[in-house]
Amino acid sequence: MRIETQRYTERFGSVRLNEVQKVLELDSGKAEEPNSTKNIAVLKIEEEVIWDYENKMAIVVPVKNERLKLFEGVISGVPHDCLLIVVSNSQRGRIDRFRMEKDALAQYCHFTRRPAFIIHQKDPILTKAVAESGYTELLGEDELLSNGKCEGMIAAMLLAMVLKKSYIGFIDADNYFPGSVWEYVKCYAAGFSLAKSPYSMVRILWRYKPKVSAGMYFRKLGRVSEITNKYMNSLISANTGFETEIIRTANAGEHAMTLSLAQLLTYASGYAVETRELLSIFEGFGGVLPLAQPTVVKQGVEIFQIETRNPHLHEERGTKHLQADMLLPSLSAVYWSQLCDGDTRENIIDELISQGILKQKKEEPPTPKMYRSPCEVNLEKFQEIMSENLASYSALAEENSSK
Ligand code: GDD
Ligand code: MG
């Protein structure tokens, strides 16, 4: 793969925020290039290097009642050496969609000779492991793991730690193009290969996010992302004193991080998760608030934003979903961050009023439901309970047990 080098990096305390780097070539060829012909503005990342990172990476596919054909397409795009972890919150019962996902994954793993794990978000053993590790805020009134993408992602992070992976990447299950899934993972690996710190994160920016109306229109950014980026940048500018537009990926559902970083961050429920991850990094390591982990400061946290070649086409869920489920939680996360200044707060309220989400200036967005960082709970206990039962979550569990 050939991508642009990090041409510009902004600093926020010990956080290094790299400007967007574009993918120039998906496959950069085998031939070694003599130093004299090397272009310093462009990096060639060898396939072997990418494979090495993929080998150490878990790719998590959160899924809730997606069309099976889309789910099958997504898993087929994940490079072979990554460990696939599917966390499903799909319907069970008379129409058992989870069963269908499990069967599809088992068949895929059987023919592609690869391991994978699949677990339901409401699984009783997972619930027990979460409860006994002390991560009780993750449990809902029904005493099972709460609904939500973030909640599924945290479960997957804990599982990836049990499975001894070093990197974790997330890919939504409603993507129409397996080729774009493949490219996201290559970008994750490429980003990690450039990182100097063990605390790093790679966030994907789509070149286009097409909308189908009368014809196909290749939009650059999603509506929610555009708005969240604006307020995230405003928060950074207020804290550093320098206006910035560095953040282009505040809502990046497709993103990856080292598990060393993942276990230090605090999370926010549902779709606020990606925005909150960035805020947690700025709060913990930006140097404005007391440091979350003084040991991290030496190496710092590194954030890469990589723009893919493939467009991103996923299931359309309508304006209501965008506003109520996505924009409000994202902006609430920014609003309630300890780093958020008065002007940014006021502008967020105005934005929410203009979007018809809040009614009047006196109103405030709801406080996000927050989750402590995984390093604060008893991970050994979680590991102990899950390790004993890991085999039952293997995609090939039934095939193995009938042997
Ligand atoms: N495990 C699990 N549990 N997965 C879930 C849940 C849940 O409760 N709810 C949704 N998912 C899965 C969906 O099936 C899908 O694969 C993925 O999470 C994202 O959900 P979507 O409903 O497709 O989200 P979106 O397309 O509106 O938003 C996506 O893109 C945004 C950036 O544009 C998400 O990735 C957002 O998190 C992201 O900010
Ligand atoms: Mg989607």
Side-chain angles (χ1 to χ4, degrees):
M1 167 172 275
R2 217 180 287 261
I3 71 171
E4 287 176 347
T5 185
Q6 304 94 292
R7 272 189 294 201
Y8 183 66
T9 306
E10 283 197 18
R11 280 155 218 274
F12 186 172
S14 56
V15 183
R16 297 194 289 285
L17 279 162
N18 291 301
E19 209 177 55
V20 169
Q21 294 165 254
K22 287 192 167 86
V23 173
L24 301 176
E25 198 176 33
L26 291 172
D27 181 336
S28 53
K30 190 174 175 200
E32 265 203 33
E33 289 167 11
N35 273 339
S36 56
T37 63
K38 272 193 183 139
N39 180 341
I40 51 166
V42 175
L43 296 160
K44 178 175 192 260
I45 301 168
E46 303 300 339
E47 257 181 18
E48 288 76 9
V49 172
I50 289 182
W51 285 331
D52 279 346
Y53 283 92
E54 287 172 353
N55 217 332
K56 294 180 267 183
M57 198 185 303
I59 290 294
V60 176
V61 179
V63 56
K64 185 173 180 186
N65 300 329
E66 299 296 352
R67 291 201 266 171
L68 201 60
K69 286 269 183 263
L70 294 188
F71 171 72
E72 284 170 351
V74 166
I75 56 177
S76 75
V78 177
H80 185 89
D81 291 333
C82 301
L83 180 62
L84 252 170
I85 302 179
V86 177
V87 179
S88 171
N89 197 15
S90 297
Q91 160 185 348
R92 314 227 40 194
R94 204 166 54 81
I95 299 173
D96 191 345
R97 300 190 69 94
F98 176 59
R99 178 81 239 177
M100 293 181 210
E101 290 155 6
K102 226 173 146 173
D103 289 347
L105 186 67
Q107 188 181 42
Y108 168 73
C109 288
H110 173 81
F111 287 110
T112 54
R113 311 312 311 151
R114 67 187 288 178
F117 289 86
I118 178 162
I119 191 161
H120 198 274
Q121 201 153 321
K122 307 286 179 183
D123 180 83
I125 296 167
L126 173 67
T127 302
K128 179 169 181 259
V130 165
E132 292 198 14
S133 68
Y135 227 152
T136 42
E137 66 264 40
L138 276 174
L139 305 177
E141 279 168 15
D142 55 2
E143 293 182 6
L144 297 173
L145 204 71
S146 300
N147 295 325
K149 185 186 171 201
C150 171
E151 291 71 0
M153 284 168 59
I154 297 179
M157 286 176 211
L158 301 176
L159 212 54
M161 290 176 203
V162 175
L163 292 160
K164 306 262 179 294
K165 291 288 149 181
S166 307
Y167 302 90
I168 188 161
F170 301 95
I171 296 198
D172 289 350
D174 62 339
N175 194 315
Y176 276 89
F177 299 140
S180 72
V181 170
W182 178 88
E183 186 185 8
Y184 300 148
V185 179
K186 300 287 162 191
C187 291
Y188 295 162
F192 291 130
S193 78
L194 302 178
K196 303 245 167 9
S197 165
Y199 308 102
S200 52
M201 176 180 267
V202 183
R203 302 172 76 93
I204 299 294
L205 177 68
W206 309 310
R207 194 171 175 82
Y208 297 109
K209 190 178 180 192
K211 292 267 167 281
V212 185
S213 45
M216 183 88 100
Y217 177 65
F218 286 85
R219 232 183 112 94
K220 285 288 280 182
L221 272 182
R223 278 164 290 176
V224 172
S225 312
E226 221 161 334
I227 300 171
T228 317
N229 288 342
K230 179 169 150 195
Y231 296 102
M232 185 70 93
N233 284 319
S234 161
L235 174 146
I236 300 175
S237 308
N239 279 279
T240 59
F242 289 89
E243 202 167 292
T244 184
E245 292 188 345
I246 192 85
I247 297 293
R248 305 266 306 277
T249 54
N251 287 100
E254 271 68 31
H255 67 284
M257 44 187 161
T258 60
L259 277 164
S260 320
L261 176 63
Q263 58 177 310
L264 300 180
L265 302 186
T266 54
Y267 297 89
S269 179
Y271 293 113
V273 57
E274 290 93 8
T275 311
R276 177 61 216 166
E277 283 170 2
L278 282 180
L279 294 163
S280 173
I281 294 175
F282 302 149
E283 289 170 8
F285 312 104
V288 176
L289 302 172
L291 292 170
Q293 293 275 337
T295 46
V296 173
V297 173
K298 213 166 129 219
Q299 287 142 315
V301 176
E302 246 176 315
I303 299 173
F304 295 88
Q305 307 181 90
I306 301 186
E307 187 184 280
T308 55
R309 301 300 307 188
N310 278 282
H312 183 86
L313 191 65
H314 71 142
E315 281 288 77
E316 268 311 325
R317 288 185 227 279
T319 321
K320 266 216 170 112
H321 161 73
L322 286 177
Q323 291 189 339
D325 298 349
M326 301 213 40
L327 185 60
L328 181 59
S330 285
L331 291 189
S332 302
V334 180
Y335 184 94
W336 288 109
S337 166
Q338 282 175 278
L339 290 175
C340 195
D341 57 290
D343 283 349
T344 306
R345 283 199 164 166
E346 207 170 300
N347 294 335
I348 288 178
I349 302 269
D350 289 343
E351 178 75 57
L352 290 171
I353 292 175
S354 77
Q355 296 283 342
I357 300 175
L358 292 185
K359 296 276 167 305
Q360 45 180 324
K361 266 199 169 293
K362 276 187 295 190
E363 264 185 273
E364 285 192 307
T367 45
K369 183 171 181 209
M370 299 284 296
Y371 300 116
R372 282 170 299 159
S373 37
C375 68
E376 282 181 54
V377 305
N378 187 344
L379 289 172
E380 290 77 32
K381 192 72 203 170
F382 182 88
Q383 172 150 10
E384 187 188 307
I385 297 174
M386 292 309 285
S387 306
E388 284 169 18
N389 296 283
L390 262 184
S392 60
Y393 302 116
S394 158
L396 294 172
E398 284 169 20
E399 179 172 314
N400 292 340
S401 66
S402 63
K403 272 183 196 156

